Amino acid sequence: MDALLLYDSASDEDDNDDKTTTNKNRKRSFPSDQLKLPVKRQALPQLPSFFSPIHKPSSSSQDHQGRTRSKPALLDSWPTHVYIQIPTCEQIQTILGRVTTQDATIHSMISNDNSFHLSLTKCLYLKEHQLDGFADMIQKRLGDTSRFTISFAQLSLLTNEENTRSFLTIEVGSGYNELMKQLKLVDQVVKHYGQPIFYEPPRFHASIAWSLKKDPLENIIQNSPEQLMKDLAYIEYEVSSVFIRMGNRLVKIKLR
């Protein structure tokens, strides 16, 4: 069993606060002797969005499959994440099929585009006026780097910094050194914005499932067929792009 690694649980799944405008119609009653003929009124224009009340996302664990926020939702705090997309393959689908059918407390982390994320940052929190500058600096540093290939070597169990969730991950074997070069460039930008850099030493991985409990994931690792991981290790993935998710904004950086 690999040692547990502490890392941020916030993901491309924590969203920025929604802004909505609410209008309340209130009625007043008058004595009958004060009633006047109705006067036709023009509708007032809607107030700009910065006057709108802020509705914070629900913090109830019942709304998020038992998950809890690692940080409270704050105004003008945009969760930001730099990552590489990993497409699913038959071997990963087989692993997911085994884990999600054996235990209902284990949840798949496959995204809507049928891929997984390999992180190059923790979940960062930037102000809105910082977003464009952050993306531009990442673009300048990574845009001139060459694409490369990676493969995965083993299943492992990682947990977040609050010990509230555990993750079944596949760790990178081949391509580790190339990822380190990318990480050093990204860390330069992260430090420039006063944000925490990636974990040291880095264990590059893609999380494929999560659970509130460690035991079900440990059982999966111990009982997974050895041949399944050997087959997975033979599959190479070309890394040709890096993505930046900033709240509801997505930036794609193509490598040379």
Side-chain angles (χ1 to χ4, degrees), residues 8 63 195:
D8 200 345
D63 297 334
Q195 295 290 317

Side-chain angles (χ1 to χ4, degrees), residues 5 84-85 106 113-114 167 205 216 226 238 248:
L5 175 68
I84 295 166
Q85 282 189 343
I106 301 177
D113 56 8
N114 204 36
F167 299 84
H205 63 275
E226 184 177 349
E238 183 183 61
N248 58 358

